[in-house]
């Protein structure tokens, strides 16, 4: 059986005792030792023979996951580490994720191919659920539809290993053990996953630069990667690797996704939206329109607000500015923050400030900021003045004067001379 499913000698002894065995653990251990030795003599499964493999540059890569223990922001965390290894140059790439979701699988491929500078022609995988839907006899598989879309995008031929036959992707299996011993022990401590992944990528480069190629001792793994890079397939565009699902928006403009809640634009309230989950963010769409985008959180029971999503509602309900949950600790631009402080506290001050904020819906945040700065520079803090400045900036520019061509110029252009009327009066008097 595979190593994961094998029983330890202590467990075998415990099961035998339950069946009435009265011998010691040493007796079981000695019998197991003799049994293994006899299997080796008979050419049994305990001493399998293998055929060494050779891969051409740009031919294949191997992929696998491992689970490692780290410390993030002072708290212990078990991360899922994606391992990718080029079979010819033996170049490694590793990246840590909170879980093994399909969007993490897509992200790991995109980042690994960018790290290698190209894409091999074939990918070797085990039978993970994010890639394989059904396992049949031999090598026959039904791959996941989204996984096939990704491999078609990169022009990669996916190959699945035989179940419990780790030697079929032995390079990446060995990489898991090497990386665990060299990178993750002793336990790594970082402030965030982003810092951890930046360090891991740098360590992959350093390891490749300082370790010789196992089959060509005269060059390093990094040099072998440089030689393999020209024959890799070019990356025409990164794959848009997301996992999509539908969710209902509540009356408070929130959706529930992955045990957390996220805000959306108020016009999507009580409608059905599509959530595209990426490894590090979520994009919320209502039809063809994007109604929300947030950094992805992997905890639980958190509510993530974007206060600008609620601005159209706030324009009609300015009293919600003080106690509205989305507006607590609102990080406003500096000019708007100064304006709110200058306006003071109270219902009337909130109403005047909301009038200015509402102009963002029609004029945009940049124009409103510029108008607020102009009003503050003049020493006058008034919502009416700010709205007047915006109104003046919306007025069309003064049209240019008409330029007349030479062939249309008057022979005797009119002269503005009011004294001519006095001369006419003199002519009338003389007459």
């Amino acid at each position: 059986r595979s190593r994961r499913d094998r029983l330890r000698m202590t467990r075998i002894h415990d099961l035998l005792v339950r069946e009435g065995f009265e011998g010691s653990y040493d007796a079981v251990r000695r019998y197991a030792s003799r049994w293994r030795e006899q299997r080796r003599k008979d050419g049994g499964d305990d001493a399998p023979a293998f055929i060494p493999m050779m891969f051409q540059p740009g031919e294949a890569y191997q992929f696998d996951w491992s689970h490692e223990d780290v410390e993030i922001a002072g708290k212990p965390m078990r991360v899922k580490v994606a391992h990718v290894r080029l079979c010819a140059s033996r170049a490694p790439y590793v990246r840590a994720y909170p879980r093994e979701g399909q969007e993490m699988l897509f992200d790991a491929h995109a980042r690994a191919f960018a790290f290698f500078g190209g894409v091999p022609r074939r990918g070797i995988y085990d039978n993970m659920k994010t890639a394989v839907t059904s396992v049949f006899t031999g090598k026959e598989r039904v791959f996941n539809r989204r996984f096939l879309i990704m491999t078609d995008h990169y022009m990669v031929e996916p190959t699945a290993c035989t179940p419990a036959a780790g030697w079929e992707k032995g390079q990446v299996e060995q990489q898991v053990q090497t990386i665990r011993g060299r990178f993750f022990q002793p336990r790594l401590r970082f402030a965030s996953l982003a810092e951890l992944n930046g360090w891991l990528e740098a360590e992959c480069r350093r390891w490749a630069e300082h370790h010789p190629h196992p089959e060509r001792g005269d060059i390093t793994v990094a040099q072998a990667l440089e030689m393999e890079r020209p024959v890799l397939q070019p990356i025409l565009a990164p794959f848009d690797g997301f996992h999509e699902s539908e969710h209902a928006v509540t009356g408070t403009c929130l959706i529930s996704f992955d045990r957390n809640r996220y805000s959306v634009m108020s016009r999507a309230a009580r409608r059905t939206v599509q959530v595209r989950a990426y490894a590090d963010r979520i994009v919320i769409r209502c039809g063809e329109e994007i109604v929300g985008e947030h950094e992805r959180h992997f905890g639980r029971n958190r509510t993530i607000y974007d206060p600008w999503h609620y601005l159209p509602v706030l324009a009609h309900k300015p009293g919600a500015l003080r106690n509205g949950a989305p507006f607590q600790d609102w990080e406003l631009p500096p000019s708007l923050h100064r304006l709110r402080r200058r306006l003071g506290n109270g219902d009337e001050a909130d109403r005047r400030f909301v009038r200015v904020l509402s102009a963002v819906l029609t004029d945009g945040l940049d124009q409103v900021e510029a108008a607020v700065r102009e009003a503050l520079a003049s020493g006058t803090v008034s919502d009416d003045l700010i709205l007047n400045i915006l109104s003046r900036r919306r007025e069309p520019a003064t049209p240019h004067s008409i330029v007349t061509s030479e062939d249309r110029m008057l022979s005797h252009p009119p002269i503005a001379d009011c004294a001519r009327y006095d001369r006419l009066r003199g002519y009338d008097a003389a007459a």
Side-chain angles (χ1 to χ4, degrees):
R1 296 191 178 185
S2 65
R3 180 177 298 180
R4 184 184 295 272
D5 295 332
R6 293 177 189 173
L7 298 178
R8 295 177 176 269
M9 288 297 103
T10 53
R11 179 59 175 162
I12 293 176
H13 176 257
D14 180 61
L15 294 174
L16 289 172
V17 169
R18 296 186 184 189
E19 295 293 330
F21 178 67
E22 297 180 356
S24 65
Y25 166 75
D26 285 339
V28 176
R29 182 181 55 78
R30 290 193 299 270
Y31 177 84
S33 179
R34 293 194 302 270
W35 182 81
R36 289 196 187 97
E37 184 63 28
Q38 186 62 40
R39 295 273 292 182
R40 291 192 188 98
K41 292 179 180 179
D42 297 340
D45 294 337
D46 261 26
F50 300 100
I51 299 175
M53 307 298 291
M54 179 177 291
F55 295 90
Q56 297 299 317
E59 179 183 354
Y61 66 89
Q62 297 178 3
F63 181 93
D64 202 4
W65 290 98
S66 73
H67 300 176
E68 310 297 342
D69 293 319
V70 297
E71 191 173 297
I72 302 296
K75 297 181 180 179
M77 179 180 181
R78 173 159 289 188
V79 294
K80 314 305 185 289
V81 180
H83 294 258
V84 188
R85 187 182 182 95
L86 293 183
C87 296
S89 63
R90 312 300 174 87
Y93 179 81
V94 295
R95 188 171 182 86
Y97 296 92
R99 61 186 62 165
E100 295 181 24
Q102 194 175 58
E103 58 272 27
M104 285 70 175
L105 174 73
F106 297 153
D107 184 75
H109 280 75
R111 294 181 183 274
F113 294 153
F115 179 82
F116 295 140
V119 184
R121 297 184 297 276
R122 185 161 62 97
I124 302 173
Y125 304 86
D126 59 14
N127 298 280
M128 52 190 180
K129 294 181 179 179
T130 51
V132 177
T133 301
S134 302
V135 179
F136 297 102
T137 305
K139 297 289 186 180
E140 188 176 354
R141 301 288 186 275
V142 174
F143 287 98
N144 182 281
R145 185 183 66 86
R146 284 284 294 166
F147 177 77
L148 285 179
I149 293 175
M150 183 204 70
T151 55
D152 289 345
H153 175 86
Y154 289 118
M155 295 181 290
V156 170
E157 175 193 353
T159 302
C161 297
T162 304
W167 56 85
E168 295 186 8
K169 54 181 178 64
Q171 287 193 24
V172 75
E173 293 280 353
Q174 183 182 14
Q175 175 177 307
V176 168
Q177 302 303 321
T178 301
I179 295 298
R180 177 174 293 156
R182 293 180 179 269
F183 290 8
F184 289 95
Q185 294 175 352
R187 180 176 295 184
L188 299 177
R189 292 174 173 84
F190 286 92
S192 65
L193 270 179
E195 289 187 14
L196 168 62
N197 285 320
W199 182 86
L200 288 174
E201 186 168 315
E203 284 298 295
C204 286
R205 289 195 176 92
R206 190 187 66 83
W207 188 91
E209 291 170 356
H210 290 85
H211 284 76
H213 191 276
E215 295 178 355
R216 297 185 57 183
D218 58 328
I219 62 173
T220 64
V221 172
Q223 291 171 330
L225 174 59
E226 290 297 325
M227 297 169 60
E228 183 176 15
R229 192 166 281 151
V231 298
L232 295 174
Q233 300 180 101
I235 305 173
L236 301 179
F239 178 66
D240 191 14
F242 60 84
H243 176 73
E244 189 173 67
S245 55
E246 284 196 348
H247 298 264
V249 182
T250 66
T252 53
C253 309
L254 294 170
I255 62 162
S256 295
F257 173 76
D258 199 15
R259 298 175 294 188
N260 290 308
R261 296 189 298 172
Y262 299 87
S263 69
V264 301
M265 292 181 181
S266 58
R267 57 177 171 271
R270 302 187 185 280
R271 300 178 66 181
T272 300
V273 295
Q274 297 76 42
V275 176
R276 292 185 174 183
Y278 296 83
D280 55 355
R281 72 187 194 281
I282 66 168
V283 177
I284 308 162
R285 303 172 66 92
C286 186
E288 297 298 322
E289 181 187 11
I290 295 178
V291 295
E293 186 168 354
H294 296 272
E295 179 185 353
R296 187 170 179 181
H297 295 266
F298 291 94
R300 60 176 63 192
N301 301 327
R302 290 190 58 183
T303 303
I304 297 91
Y305 293 109
D306 183 347
W308 298 104
H309 290 163
Y310 295 87
L311 185 56
V313 183
L314 183 65
H316 298 287
K317 301 178 180 180
L321 179 64
R322 183 178 306 178
N323 298 113
F327 313 118
Q328 305 302 310
D329 303 321
W330 191 358
E331 295 184 1
L332 290 165
S335 59
L336 289 174
H337 183 72
R338 288 175 55 199
L339 174 65
R340 186 174 188 183
R341 189 172 62 250
R342 295 279 297 274
L343 287 173
N345 299 319
D347 293 340
E348 180 62 21
D350 289 347
R351 184 188 64 79
R352 293 168 64 190
F353 184 66
V354 170
R355 284 191 68 199
V356 176
L357 285 178
S358 300
V360 175
L361 298 172
T362 55
D363 295 270
L365 182 59
D366 293 338
Q367 291 294 328
V368 172
E369 282 189 86
V372 170
R373 286 195 296 267
E374 182 178 336
L376 292 174
S378 67
T380 305
V381 180
S382 168
D383 53 322
D384 290 328
L385 173 61
I386 295 171
L387 296 178
N388 182 267
I389 293 173
L390 290 170
S391 178
R392 284 191 285 106
R393 291 182 176 181
R394 286 195 300 267
E395 292 179 359
T398 305
H400 297 289
S401 59
I402 301 175
V403 179
T404 307
S405 59
E406 293 184 2
D407 58 339
R408 295 179 180 273
M409 296 291 290
L410 297 175
S411 301
H412 304 284
I415 301 174
D417 182 11
C418 293
R420 68 180 66 182
Y421 296 104
D422 294 333
R423 292 194 296 270
L424 290 175
R425 290 175 61 190
Y427 294 152
D428 293 339

